[in-house]
């Protein structure tokens, strides 16, 4: 009568598979080490089909996660586990979980690397509470220039900075620019982008943002605009709304609309979106 207990040979696989799992995690997303580890795992299991799906190209985190999904499915529903199906299936399912974890960790490492390549960027909630900050953002905060931290709340330097940021965060969408002048009269622009969770917002400081007046002069020269038309164009390029541009210029919304219509006619575009495309093209020459 055949015993239901796993044989000694099967149990000897456990420490070997634990070692292979450790190699997955310590590989630092090295595709060669990942492939060698998967081949070694395949050699000590009765199933020789699932991991053959590994692409010939270097294994990336998405590839590893996809193979983990295949291995999990095979462990739960496949019939290639040999005589000791219960133990072999459990070992494969456990190793697949380690593959998933290694792939997720590699993704986070890549994202962290990209995050640190950005200009000063903070991840905040809509109350300006900082959840994450990259290296450049931490340095800028410590310098006390342009931004400051009150507890864990991000504030723009200068009078009314805290209120201005909160108002902008409340309205932030896929891409919102907040022009700002700090207490020392230096101009800076902040790009606000709502993240996919709809709760957090990335706030990036564009320290080399052009002065609106410099933009206005360049636009006036290249498009032969009137001073008021070029000033309105510069404010629109800074992602201000028409109402916000009118307030900044000290004119009524009606007058701003007249200048906007003249700009559209001058550049030959039918709407504000087309106008912004033209203006960005001109300023990037």
């Amino acid at each position: 009568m055949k015993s239901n207990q796993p044989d000694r040979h099967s149990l000897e696989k456990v420490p070997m598979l634990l070692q292979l799992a450790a190699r997955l995690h310590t590989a630092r997303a090295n595709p060669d080490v990942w492939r060698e580890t998967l081949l070694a795992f395949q050699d000590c299991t009765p199933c020789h089909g699932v991991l053959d799906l590994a692409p010939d190209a270097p294994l990336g985190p998405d590839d590893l996660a996809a193979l983990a999904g295949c291995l999990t499915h095979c462990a739960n529903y496949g019939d290639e586990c040999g005589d000791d199906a219960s133990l072999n299936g459990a070992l494969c399912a456990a190793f697949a979980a380690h593959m998933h974890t290694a792939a997720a960790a590699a993704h986070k490492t890549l994202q962290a690397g990209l995050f640190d390549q950005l200009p000063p960027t903070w991840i905040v909630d809509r109350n300006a509470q900082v959840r994450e900050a990259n290296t450049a953002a931490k340095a800028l905060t410590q310098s006390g220039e342009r931004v400051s931290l009150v507890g864990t709340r991000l504030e723009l330097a200068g009078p009314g900075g805290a209120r201005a940021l909160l108002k902008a965060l409340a309205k932030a969408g896929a891409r919102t620019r907040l022009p700002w002048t700090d207490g020392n009269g230096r101009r800076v622009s902040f790009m606000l982008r709502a993240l996919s969770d709809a709760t957090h917002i990335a706030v990036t400081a564009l320290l080399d943002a052009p002065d609106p007046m410099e933009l206005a002069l360049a636009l006036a020269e290249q498009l032969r605009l009137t001073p008021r038309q070029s000033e309105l164009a510069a404010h629109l390029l800074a992602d201000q709304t028409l109402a916000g541009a009118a307030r900044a210029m000290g004119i009524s919304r009606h007058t701003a609309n007249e200048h906007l219509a003249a700009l559209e006619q001058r550049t030959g575009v039918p709407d504000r979106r087309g106008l912004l495309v033209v203006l960005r093209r001109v300023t990037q020459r």
Side-chain angles (χ1 to χ4, degrees):
M1 181 176 178
K2 187 175 180 178
S3 171
N4 290 327
Q5 296 296 319
D7 61 32
R8 181 174 179 179
H9 177 69
S10 296
L11 289 174
E12 287 174 350
K13 297 177 183 178
V14 175
M16 182 184 297
L17 291 180
L18 287 175
Q19 291 176 3
L20 293 177
R23 283 179 63 187
L24 276 180
H25 295 296
T26 58
R28 297 183 181 276
N30 184 311
D32 294 330
V33 176
W34 274 355
R35 183 177 294 280
E36 291 169 4
T37 305
L38 295 185
L39 289 174
F41 171 77
Q42 186 168 265
D43 287 343
C44 66
T45 60
C47 178
H48 295 283
V50 172
L51 298 182
D52 286 335
L53 298 174
D56 293 333
L59 283 173
D62 290 336
D63 301 314
L64 189 65
L67 288 171
C70 293
L71 188 58
T72 300
H73 186 273
C74 183
N76 291 329
Y77 305 106
D79 56 2
E80 303 293 330
C81 289
D83 294 334
D84 216 350
S86 177
L87 178 63
N88 285 325
L91 292 176
C92 285
F95 191 73
H98 283 286
M99 291 168 65
H100 273 299
T101 303
H107 265 304
K108 289 183 178 179
T109 300
L110 289 172
Q111 290 168 355
L114 291 173
F115 186 47
D116 263 340
Q117 297 303 312
L118 293 174
T121 300
W122 300 262
I123 305 299
V124 303
D125 62 21
R126 293 192 183 266
N127 293 316
Q129 297 293 324
V130 175
R131 304 305 178 191
E132 292 184 58
N134 67 5
T135 302
K138 291 174 182 176
L140 186 62
T141 303
Q142 289 173 357
S143 73
E145 298 179 355
R146 286 154 173 149
V147 295
S148 61
L149 277 181
V150 177
T152 58
R153 188 179 72 245
L154 185 67
E155 294 187 358
L156 307 186
R163 184 169 179 271
L165 180 58
L166 287 173
K167 286 181 65 176
L169 290 173
K171 300 176 182 178
R175 182 175 177 272
T176 305
R177 190 185 294 265
L178 172 62
W180 185 250
T181 302
D182 68 19
N184 296 316
R186 292 172 300 188
R187 294 183 181 278
V188 62
S189 186
F190 292 90
M191 183 67 71
L192 279 59
R193 291 160 295 163
L195 302 184
S196 57
D197 63 5
T199 301
H200 295 93
I201 297 165
V203 179
T204 299
L206 305 177
L207 303 179
D208 57 349
D211 187 303
M213 291 304 101
E214 292 178 6
L215 273 179
L217 289 173
L219 291 169
E221 180 180 352
Q222 296 185 55
L223 296 176
R224 297 181 181 178
L225 304 177
T226 68
R228 280 311 217 184
Q229 289 171 1
S230 59
E231 188 178 353
L232 176 65
H235 284 296
L236 293 177
L237 269 177
D239 282 350
Q240 282 189 311
T241 62
L242 189 63
R247 285 194 299 272
M249 295 170 64
I251 61 177
S252 69
R253 175 70 179 268
H254 176 75
T255 303
N257 268 314
E258 290 181 344
H259 289 316
L260 177 62
L263 276 170
E264 291 171 352
Q265 184 177 8
R266 180 71 186 84
T267 53
V269 296
D271 54 30
R272 195 186 313 178
R273 179 175 296 180
L275 174 63
L276 288 173
V277 171
V278 171
L279 294 178
R280 290 192 182 107
R281 190 176 300 149
V282 168
T283 57
Q284 290 169 2
R285 286 175 184 170

